[in-house]
Every structure is written in C-alpha cells, then in structure tokens.
Amino acid sequence: MGIDIKTLVRPHLLNLQPYASARSEFSGEAQAWLDANENAYGTPGRSIETAFHRYPDPYQIALKQRISEIKNVPIDHIFLGNGSDEAIDLLIKVFCRPGVDNIVSLPPTFGMYEVAASINDVKVRSASLTADYQIDRATVESSIDENTKIIFFCSPNNPTGNLLAADDILYFLENFSGLVVVDEAYVDFTGQTSFLKKLADYPNLVVLQTFSKAWGMAALRLGAAFASPSILEFLNKVKMPYNVSMLTQQTALKVLQNIRQYQSYIAAIKNQRDWLVTQFQSLETVEKIHPSDANFVLIKFINAPELYQFLVDQRVIVRNRSSVRLCEGGLRITVGTERENQLLVDAISQYHPKAEKTLNA
Ligand SMILES: *Cc1c(COP(=O)(O)O)cnc(C)c1O
C-alpha cells in the first residue's frame, strides 16, 4: 500500500534540525580527539584500554552490522534503543500529536503502550482481545478513528503467552493507513517466522524485538525497532544523542557471538515450560493452563490472590495478573531454572485453599 510516512509524522518534526553531536559530525580515525570536551586522560581507576572517557557511537554501527547478519535485515532498517521501551516511546512521540491523536492497543497486553501514550498525552483506544486472546477485527476496526496513528499488536502476547493470528495482523497492515507495530519480544521462543520477513512489503510496519528476554541481556538495556528508513529517520532525529551506552554496545557485540548457547538456553527454557505445564496439569488448584509460545505461562488458579501471597511468603515470586480483565484468577509464571521450577511446584502442592480447609474443618 502506498503510504507516505511523512503525512503521518507530527508536522513540526518534518523540518526539525536534530542536535548535531560531536561524534555525529566526525567519526572515523583521528590523531587527536579534541572535539567533544571529554577527559582525554581517561577514567579514574581504569586502564586506558578499559576506560569510558569517550562518547559512544550515536548510531551503533558495529552492533547494527552484527544484528543485521543475525536477523537478516539491512542495516538501514534497524534502530537500537535503551530497551524496546525507548522505541515505543519514540514512536508515540514522532507520530502522535498530544491531545489530538490516539493509539489502539489490544488488552490484556503489555502495559508500556498505554503508559508511554499517557505520558505523551496521547489517548489509548482499547480493542479487547477475544476470550481466547485473539484479534477481533471488527472490534479493532471500530476502535480506529481518523486520529488513530498506531496499532500495537503484541505477539506472542504478554501476559497471555499466545501468538496472535498472523493473517489478522496482515489484514491491518493492508487496510490501516497508519503504523502497525508488532511487538515480538518473545518471538525467539516460537517456531513461527517473524514479521521481519514482511518489512520489504510494508513501509508502515514496525517490528519490535528486545535483547532482554531470550538473549539474556535485560540489565544492558538494548532493544530494536525494525522498519523502513522513512520511519527510522524520524526516530533517529528525536532520540537522545547517545541513547545506547558504550558498555552496552561492546558487551552486546560480544554476547551476540554466542549463537549456540543462545539456542541451547531457548531449548532448555521450552523444555522446562513443557515440564511445568505437565506438573500443573495434576495440581488441584489449577483451573486452566493457557497455551504459551513464550518463556512464561499464564495459569488460572482457584484462589489466585491467596496463592500469590502464599508463594510470596515462601519467597517464590510470580506475577499476579488476577485483577486484569480477561485474566481473572491468573498468575503469570516465568519459566525459571530446573531448581526454581521445582521449588515453585513443591510450594504450590503444599498450598490448600483456605475456603476448602474451613469446609473440611
Ligand atoms: C519485556 C518486554 C519488552 C521489552 O522490554 P525492554 O525495554 O527491551 O527490556 C517489550 N515488549 C514486551 C511485550 C515485553 O514483554
């Protein structure tokens, strides 16, 4: 579809002169770096090889090259941020006029879309998922109005764990004249092909991925937005100049060499997910196990708030989602190590709902 991204961008950003940082004006080899007011002597307590005294690459080219190889996406289709949370915020900042425009989100889903929108004074129009956590096209369509700029789809969805039907997402890519964001934070745990494959076909597609989950780098803060250069041009204009630290860029580059171990962690996590599901099937407090394509499982328990507290008392911490609409009675359980998962299952099998106890007393 022939969408002109410029017609979607907030008008005042079209001619914005971005901040020109020292390192964006000159990069490459130099004999003397006297342009950025850094401390040329180094960092106290660190050798010169391990010092932090120079500003990092504002566009993270070396890291993007590696990500480009791994994901098979051209480098000009990659934006890196301080977690994918930064990309979510920037998309709203670039495309939604405060007090005027809105986004559509499909609850129950990831909370950041709504929080980022609210911070930017952008309204959220909710198009509830169906009872089995799928997209209802008519509901989404009726949530869209002439000021809707972005639809956020999360697949596999957090906190429900399931993939959304790809043809429903494609339907909106074809028929909605704003941005379609597909948040694939958990895509590594699915057998499904990613929407990255569709980037060439849809200039209005943004695929979010993160290195916080399968890649085990949550503390480094690194997320990616993959999209057409016509979208990324504006994210790059609006982002903070040095949004990904040197420590993150260098460390991530090293971590991304370890594809084998990444794959074996994923295999282990899926294995443990299946083991947990088998264990839960025989627990009396379990009402429903929602099918998961992620590294967590949403489980409906007979007495979720009480069970949650019971687990906290034993220092086993899960996420209580029982007050979220369509997740009533639900606890979201991240797949842990074998030892952690065993601890959890042992703890839950010790638990007997209070109501039942009084009956038996
Ligand atoms: C964890 C998560 C993210 C990623 O967050 P980072 O900021 O990259 O750590 C994004 N979307 C969803 C749905 C998530 O669950």
Side-chain angles (χ1 to χ4, degrees), residues 77-114:
H77 284 58
I78 306 175
F79 171 88
L80 297 179
N82 186 325
S84 40
D85 289 350
E86 183 185 2
I88 293 168
D89 179 66
L90 284 173
L91 286 164
I92 292 171
K93 275 209 169 77
V94 167
F95 291 96
C96 301
R97 291 167 295 176
V100 178
D101 291 331
N102 63 71
I103 64 159
V104 167
S105 118
L106 285 72
T109 193
F110 189 49
M112 261 321 275
Y113 317 134
E114 182 161 357

Side-chain angles (χ1 to χ4, degrees), residues 81-88 109-113 153-159 183-186 208-213 217-219 221-224 295-296 332:
N82 186 325
S84 40
D85 289 350
E86 183 185 2
I88 293 168
T109 193
F110 189 49
M112 261 321 275
Y113 317 134
F153 295 108
C154 185
S155 180
N157 187 41
N158 180 2
D183 186 341
E184 295 188 333
Y186 301 97
L208 299 179
Q209 293 190 1
T210 175
F211 296 90
S212 299
K213 308 286 160 63
M217 293 189 257
R221 309 307 303 132
L222 182 66
N295 65 339
F296 59 86
R332 192 195 69 189

